[in-house]
Amino acid sequence: MHEKTQSITKLILKAAERARRETSAEPEPDQIARVRWPVACTVGPGLEGAIACESKVGYVNGSKGWLVYRGYDVFDLCAHSTYEEVCYLLLHGELPSPDEFKAFKEKLVDYRYLNQTLRLLMSFPLEEMNAMAALRMGTNQMRQEFSYIDHRTGHPPKMDVIGSDEDSIPMETQPKGERRAIYEFKKRGRRKRMRMNRQLDDAAGLQAAYHLIAGLATIAAAISRVQQGKLPIDPDPGLSHAANFLYMMTGRRPTPQEERVMDVALILYADHGMNASTFAALVVASTLSDVYFSVGSGVAALNGPLHGGANQQVLYMLEEVLEHGDVKDWVGQTLSNGGRVMGFGHRVYKAYDPRARVLAPLAAHLVRGNREMEPLFKVARQMEKEVVSRLGRDKKIFPNVDFYSGLVYGCLGIDPEMFTPIFAVSRVAGWTARVLEYLQNNRIFRPRARYIGEFGKRYVPLEDRAGG
Ligand code: ACO
């Protein structure tokens, strides 16, 4: 499958071999047993340790550093599979047959065209917006490309495609010299009432998932183009998902090595248990909102620097440390001031993150001869040594997936602003797979907070309060 990029496959196989030598792939009995409700578990702040549902999508063994998608070790998927195949696997539970795979890829080709969404999105000042905010907006706007009825038939409404001819645009743009376009809004007609349990319709849910997997890459790439001061470009139906994503961002068809590197990164980020963004997506889905809103909330949760926002922060941190000049001193100062070193630590992994095991050698391979990235990589290596020697043994703090990914993306010429959107472009597979699975046995999420406030206070009218 990957004849032209054997060197990348070799790196992955070597990382896998090392991981298997250093850790054992034994499941944790309490994390794989069927849940009998009500379940007894010890819950910490931030719901640490809480069991919210059962899942067959993926498994993270935090004490061993082992990641599994639908029974397959992530190292094997990186070495032999593709992101498209992994998406199919996550959504359907099995690897596709050749015919199923062909049909799935054809759907993705179709769904990469998001004419209405891009037209609408382009009316916002994307170049001034945070890329994740723009991505979240685009994700929610995707809902209008494809109505629920279209999902049932599997046909997006091609006749609604908006051309580049301004006169064909149903909303009128009045460029009055303002920085933002001004619209005359069309009055909305009466809408059909939807059945309340519409999200339990498997076919519709799957079409929305395919649509979102294909579409998030198109939206993220378009945002990147606008932020570079360029117009978005159409996908190329002959390219893979990873190659298309790079092509739509850069305007240049990637080399086999670049395509493979992006593909591996997308596989590594595709799913990861009940992390904050997946949980956010599930909470929204559990209200029987729709998959688009769920993915939009996943994007929002991912944005934070304690979650997906860390990869961008890591690169800025490495630049700062390079400028500082003394890694040991910088780490010492940061830790003694109670600061966190970005790209280290994880709620679940108390061992080396298997994804970092792949991304570190990939980064090492790619930075060779790259004048900008090579010095940053050297800082990263020193930093890993320093942080692990201080915090590895006692606090089980090791590099996480985000520590080396920014260096990898940097070598592909991608702007740091796009690092977290790339995470979302990949993780949409896990979000949608888990949302569809959860909806099979849906129960609205509703934990409780202990009230520790006061009671019996007497209301004082505003004018009688002190300080006026
Ligand atoms: N740098 C320094 N110390 C750390 C770090 C870090 N990156 N991470 C954890 N610690 C320390 C804490 O200070 C704490 O020490 P203490 O017990 O002396 O108070 C101890 O390790 C445990 O930390 P918690 O905050 O309880 O761990 P938690 O599970 O809540 O946090 C998190 C996990 C948020 C990922 C944390 O490790 C962190 O902030 N890392 C940096 C940000 C980052 O890289 N995020 C990406 C995570 S991966 C992802 O989301 C894809």
Side-chain angles (χ1 to χ4, degrees):
M1 201 180 239
H2 301 299
E3 303 84 27
K4 288 189 186 156
T5 51
Q6 293 285 357
S7 54
I8 307 282
T9 307
K10 275 189 194 151
L11 291 177
I12 298 165
L13 291 173
K14 214 168 146 193
E17 192 191 309
R18 187 165 173 203
R20 286 168 189 149
R21 203 174 343 110
E22 290 177 2
T23 66
S24 65
E26 293 150 16
E28 306 138 297
D30 58 328
Q31 294 297 323
I32 57 162
R34 293 301 304 253
V35 179
R36 296 187 54 180
W37 303 104
V39 63
C41 50
T42 307
V43 180
L47 292 182
E48 182 168 1
I51 302 290
C53 59
E54 291 183 329
S55 175
K56 291 183 178 171
V57 175
Y59 170 59
V60 183
N61 184 327
S63 54
K64 307 276 187 215
W66 182 32
L67 176 59
V68 171
Y69 298 164
R70 296 277 191 188
Y72 295 89
D73 190 326
V74 79
F75 288 121
D76 288 338
L77 294 171
C78 285
H80 307 297
S81 185
T82 60
Y83 178 69
E84 286 96 321
E85 200 178 46
V86 166
C87 288
Y88 189 98
L89 172 70
L90 289 170
L91 285 169
H92 294 266
E94 298 289 346
L95 289 170
S97 69
D99 285 347
E100 286 166 339
F101 196 38
K102 184 168 172 277
F104 177 62
K105 285 201 291 190
E106 281 167 5
K107 281 268 180 221
L108 296 185
V109 167
D110 254 11
Y111 290 169
R112 274 188 199 109
Y113 292 89
L114 291 179
N115 303 299
Q116 295 193 55
T117 300
L118 291 194
R119 185 68 191 84
L120 208 51
L121 206 56
M122 292 288 288
S123 63
F124 290 87
L126 298 184
E127 67 283 5
E128 290 173 20
M129 287 177 74
N130 168 295
M132 286 295 276
L135 184 66
R136 192 175 79 104
M137 195 168 69
T139 305
N140 288 343
Q141 283 168 351
M142 273 181 79
R143 297 176 78 245
Q144 43 93 43
E145 290 263 349
F146 214 15
S147 74
Y148 172 60
I149 310 245
D150 302 319
H151 281 313
R152 284 175 157 277
T153 60
H155 298 302
K158 284 254 160 52
M159 59 285 189
D160 286 353
V161 164
I162 298 172
S164 55
D165 168 15
E166 289 284 317
D167 294 338
S168 69
I169 298 168
M171 287 185 300
E172 200 176 297
T173 310
Q174 302 172 340
K176 288 181 176 167
E178 277 93 348
R179 289 180 70 107
R180 289 158 184 73
I182 300 201
Y183 296 117
E184 279 178 9
F185 293 101
K186 284 198 305 182
K187 189 164 181 286
R188 196 171 94 173
R190 224 177 132 76
R191 294 210 165 173
K192 267 201 199 143
R193 284 176 73 173
M194 299 237 190
R195 271 180 23 243
M196 201 191 85
N197 64 343
R198 64 192 190 280
Q199 280 309 321
L200 299 174
D201 183 323
D202 276 0
L206 271 175
Q207 290 303 318
Y210 295 176
H211 191 220
L212 281 156
I213 287 170
L216 248 69
T218 302
I219 297 174
I223 294 165
S224 164
R225 294 285 294 173
V226 175
Q227 297 200 338
Q228 295 167 52
K230 295 173 183 160
L231 282 172
I233 44 177
D234 275 347
D236 176 339
L239 295 180
S240 70
H241 194 67
N244 244 314
F245 183 37
L246 283 170
Y247 168 59
M248 288 188 287
M249 267 194 287
T250 62
R252 180 178 63 76
R253 282 174 182 75
T255 63
Q257 169 161 294
E258 288 168 333
E259 174 184 4
R260 178 89 167 97
V261 167
M262 178 52 82
D263 199 48
V264 170
L266 293 178
I267 293 173
L268 286 173
Y269 276 99
D271 183 64
H272 206 248
M274 196 63 123
N275 56 83
S277 57
T278 300
F279 185 49
L282 290 182
V283 170
V284 171
S286 80
T287 68
L288 296 185
S289 183
D290 70 27
V291 191
Y292 294 91
F293 280 131
S294 298
V295 168
S297 52
V299 172
L302 189 66
N303 180 53
L306 294 187
H307 192 10
N311 53 13
Q312 187 180 344
Q313 296 303 323
V314 167
L315 205 79
Y316 298 145
M317 175 187 76
L318 294 176
E319 284 167 357
E320 184 189 319
V321 181
L322 183 65
E323 210 172 293
H324 180 84
D326 186 338
V327 177
K328 202 173 170 161
D329 179 66
W330 189 94
V331 171
Q333 271 189 38
T334 303
L335 296 182
S336 55
N337 291 336
R340 299 218 159 182
V341 187
M342 285 293 156
F344 285 86
H346 197 275
R347 172 62 62 81
V348 178
Y349 287 122
K350 299 303 164 201
Y352 208 104
D353 185 328
R355 301 164 299 173
R357 282 187 189 272
V358 173
L359 289 165
L362 266 189
H365 178 71
L366 295 172
V367 296
R368 264 181 236 142
N370 185 318
R371 289 210 342 238
E372 198 189 337
M373 291 296 147
E374 205 165 11
L376 294 176
F377 179 77
K378 282 189 183 145
V379 169
R381 273 298 194 215
Q382 276 176 280
M383 205 156 188
E384 175 179 341
K385 256 195 195 155
E386 198 53 38
V387 175
V388 172
S389 75
R390 286 166 182 261
L391 304 176
R393 216 187 55 197
D394 295 342
K395 294 194 182 175
K396 307 283 177 223
I397 304 252
F398 301 98
N400 61 45
V401 65
D402 284 337
F403 191 58
Y404 288 103
S405 63
L407 287 164
V408 169
Y409 300 146
C411 290
L412 297 180
I414 299 170
D415 193 77
E417 178 81 355
M418 291 309 296
F419 294 176
T420 315
I422 295 174
F423 192 154
V425 163
S426 164
R427 184 58 59 81
V428 63
W431 291 332
T432 50
R434 285 178 185 265
V435 160
L436 296 185
E437 179 189 57
Y438 188 79
L439 288 172
Q440 298 298 318
N441 280 307
N442 185 47
R443 187 135 204 261
I444 189 166
F445 278 101
R446 181 57 169 93
R448 295 196 66 171
R450 288 257 172 96
Y451 177 69
I452 54 162
E454 298 170 75
F455 288 99
K457 293 182 90 173
R458 193 179 61 83
Y459 181 80
V460 181
L462 183 62
E463 57 276 19
D464 298 342
R465 285 176 226 160

